């Protein structure tokens, strides 16, 4: 039975749709059944392009198989089906554009900046802040969801795709009332790399939507070098429309577990690593993921999610620590403590710029300071959580994260 240690709020309309759907399912076939081959065939028809990519197809097949056992609600099945179809259509559209203009593959990606670190360590707000420097360009939410055609200077800030995604996000905030208090997200805000790799069907993004241990086991052992080659290809496509900045600004906690692949694909990358005690990270991450999964399933179990996230991020950080020691790229990595960032965001920004030898334009600084004031902590409500609510103890954290905690103490 789903655990009730955290109350998951679902609006009446969502509960009604799922209740009616459950009644229908008892008397007939499950609606909105997922079919990987059918998704790809529809993408081919929609774009007039045939894509043969083994990793994409395997990822989609793994997803379809795992989703069948993920306990999705009626709304969840409908929403996930649309999500997968949109991703396939977007990927095929991008690949068609590249096939028609091979010069896109020659687009230069120089010294990209990756903000990484475990979830709930300030990465999202830091990403949004640094994006206000006009030397930086981040993939935006609408660009990842509706990327084709490549955005152009004349329609970059105002187009129908932005309006479409804005309406969709507003619906999510209504369906998951506490989501906005837990995660900053707008249609034109910087998006995480998980949304890029979602177009390769090899992404942690799908794990935020549903509990799929089989898919996760495949994902962590998948060829992350190939996955990030697609990531680079997508960036080349985006900037081919004419919007080019000196540096790409990228972000994902998932890069923790593939640091070696990241530097293989982007050997001149710079990394900003954020840190916070895992006793705060684990329950906060589990709370966010439980909220999202509750949109797609009426069977969300917060204890299960808490134990799952506890294990996942312990493993990811262990991989990161090992790769960091082996790679010896310390000159390209800067460490940021969450407590320092929460206390004075602009001071942390200045320390990053000093480390990498960047200069911050006074106008860009003013925009950052205005953003800090606008998005002050707690503006959208307070995100409350505890380890005990998710079935994890302080002793569990001390045991499984001991190497990370030792490393964290060395930074203080």
């Amino acid at each position: 039975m789903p655990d009730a240690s955290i109350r998951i709020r679902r609006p009446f309309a969502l509960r009604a749709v799922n209740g009616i759907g459950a009644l229908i399912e008892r008397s007939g076939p499950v609606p909105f059944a997922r079919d990987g081959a059918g998704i790809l065939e529809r993408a081919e028809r929609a774009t007039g392009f045939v894509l043969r990519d083994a990793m994409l197809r395997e990822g989609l097949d793994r997803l379809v198989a795992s989703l069948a056992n993920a306990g999705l609600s009626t709304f969840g099945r409908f929403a996930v089906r649309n999500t997968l179809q949109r991703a396939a259509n977007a990927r095929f559209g991008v690949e068609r554009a590249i096939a028609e203009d091979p010069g896109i593959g020659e687009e230069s990606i120089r010294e990209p900046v990756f903000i990484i670190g475990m979830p709930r360590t300030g990465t999202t707000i830091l990403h949004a802040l640094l994006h206000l420097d006009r030397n930086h360009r981040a993939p935006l939410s609408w660009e990842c969801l509706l990327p084709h055609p490549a955005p152009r200077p004349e329609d970059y800030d105002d187009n129908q795709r932005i309006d479409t995604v804005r309406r969709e996000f507003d619906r999510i905030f209504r369906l998951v009332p506490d989501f906005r208090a837990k995660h900053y997200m707008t249609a034109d805000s910087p998006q995480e790399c998980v949304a890029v790799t979602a177009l390769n069907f090899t992404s942690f993004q799908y794990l935020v939507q549903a509990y799929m241990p089989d898919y996760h086991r495949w994902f962590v052992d998948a060829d992350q070098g190939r996955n990030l080659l697609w990531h680079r290809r997508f960036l080349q496509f985006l900037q081919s429309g004419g919007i080019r900045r000196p540096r790409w600004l990228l972000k994902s906690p998932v890069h923790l577990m593939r640091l070696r692949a990241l530097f293989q694909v982007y050997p001149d990358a710079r990394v900003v690593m954020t840190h916070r005690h895992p006793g705060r990270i684990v329950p906060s991450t589990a709370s966010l993921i439980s909220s999202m999964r509750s949109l797609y399933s009426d069977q969300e179990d917060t204890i299960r999610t808490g134990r799952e996230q506890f294990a996942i991020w312990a493993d990811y950080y262990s991989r990161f620590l090992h790769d960091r020691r082996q790679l010896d790229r310390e000159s390209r990595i800067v460490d940021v403590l969450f407590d320092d960032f929460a206390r004075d965001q602009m001071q942390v920004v200045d320390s990053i710029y000093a480390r990498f030898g960047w200069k911050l334009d006074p106008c860009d600084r003013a925009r950052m300071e205005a953003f800090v004031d606008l998005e002050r902590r707690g503006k959208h409500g307070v995100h409350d959580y505890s380890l005990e609510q998710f079935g994890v103890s302080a002793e569990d954290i001390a045991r499984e994260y001991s190497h990370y905690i030792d490393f964290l103490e060395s930074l203080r």
Side-chain angles (χ1 to χ4, degrees), residues 153-171:
E154 58 266 31
D155 66 2
Y156 184 57
D157 296 317
D158 185 15
N159 61 61
Q160 290 185 345
R161 287 180 281 176
I162 298 175
D163 293 337
T164 296
V165 174
R166 185 175 291 120
R167 288 192 297 270
E168 292 176 359
F169 282 6
D170 285 344
R171 285 196 291 271

Side-chain angles (χ1 to χ4, degrees), residues 124-383:
T124 300
I125 296 299
L126 180 59
H127 195 200
L129 261 182
L130 297 186
H131 180 63
L132 295 174
D133 182 338
R134 285 166 291 185
N135 288 303
H136 292 151
R137 183 182 176 195
L140 304 183
S141 295
W142 71 268
E143 291 182 290
C144 294
L145 288 168
L146 298 169
H148 186 267
R152 301 166 299 179
E154 58 266 31
D155 66 2
Y156 184 57
D157 296 317
D158 185 15
N159 61 61
Q160 290 185 345
R161 287 180 281 176
I162 298 175
D163 293 337
T164 296
V165 174
R166 185 175 291 120
R167 288 192 297 270
E168 292 176 359
F169 282 6
D170 285 344
R171 285 196 291 271
I172 290 176
F173 298 148
R174 289 195 297 271
L175 291 171
V176 187
D178 62 346
F179 182 79
R180 191 63 184 89
K182 301 178 182 182
H183 187 67
Y184 172 81
M185 184 176 75
T186 66
D188 56 357
S189 64
Q191 181 57 284
E192 294 194 22
C193 297
V194 293
V196 178
T197 53
L199 304 184
N200 198 35
F201 297 113
T202 309
S203 179
F204 196 90
Q205 176 172 296
Y206 298 110
L207 293 159
V208 174
Q209 296 172 299
Y211 176 69
M212 298 182 290
D214 288 344
Y215 177 76
H216 181 257
R217 280 189 288 271
W218 172 81
F219 170 72
V220 293
D221 290 329
D223 187 339
Q224 296 300 325
R226 285 182 62 192
N227 204 18
L228 291 179
L229 283 173
W230 153 248
H231 180 280
R232 182 185 182 94
R233 187 175 176 86
F234 184 74
L235 300 186
Q236 292 173 316
F237 164 77
L238 286 185
Q239 70 182 33
S240 71
I243 302 170
R244 298 179 179 86
R245 306 273 170 81
R247 294 183 291 270
W248 275 101
L249 179 67
L250 306 151
K251 177 247 181 178
S252 176
V254 182
H255 293 313
L256 275 170
M257 67 87 161
R258 57 186 176 212
L259 189 68
R260 185 176 298 276
L262 188 153
F263 277 116
Q264 286 173 348
V265 175
Y266 299 102
D268 58 351
R270 289 172 171 171
V271 171
V272 179
M273 174 69 186
T274 57
H275 301 275
R276 191 182 187 187
H277 194 281
R280 298 294 292 170
I281 292 167
V282 169
S284 181
T285 302
S287 177
L288 175 64
I289 290 178
S290 279
S291 288
M292 282 304 298
R293 288 179 177 175
S294 71
L295 176 60
Y296 301 96
S297 174
D298 291 335
Q299 302 177 30
E300 170 55 13
D301 182 335
T302 59
I303 295 292
R304 180 183 66 187
T305 294
R307 297 298 301 181
E308 172 202 38
Q309 296 305 307
F310 163 75
I312 282 176
W313 296 103
D315 174 55
Y316 283 16
Y317 196 84
S318 177
R319 292 169 184 246
F320 169 81
L321 206 58
H322 175 269
D323 286 348
R324 183 167 175 171
R325 287 193 298 263
Q326 295 287 319
L327 289 168
D328 191 24
R329 297 291 185 100
E330 293 304 302
S331 64
R332 293 196 163 270
I333 301 175
V334 60
D335 295 294
V336 172
L337 296 176
F338 174 81
D339 290 344
D340 292 343
F341 185 66
R343 182 168 49 250
D344 191 333
Q345 289 91 349
M346 291 309 300
Q347 185 176 58
V348 167
V349 167
D350 289 338
S351 69
I352 293 170
Y353 276 61
R355 174 68 178 273
F356 290 148
W358 300 338
K359 294 193 179 299
L360 181 57
D361 181 90
C363 291
D364 292 337
R365 171 180 286 276
R367 294 200 300 155
M368 289 184 185
E369 291 172 343
F371 176 84
V372 168
D373 184 60
L374 181 65
E375 291 295 325
R376 63 192 178 278
R377 198 172 183 188
K379 171 184 173 182
H380 299 283
V382 178
H383 181 194

Side-chain angles (χ1 to χ4, degrees), residues 31-49:
F32 316 130
R34 294 162 301 279
D35 173 18
I39 288 171
L40 297 181
E41 289 170 4
R42 286 188 288 274
E44 290 178 5
R45 289 196 298 270
T47 61
F49 184 75

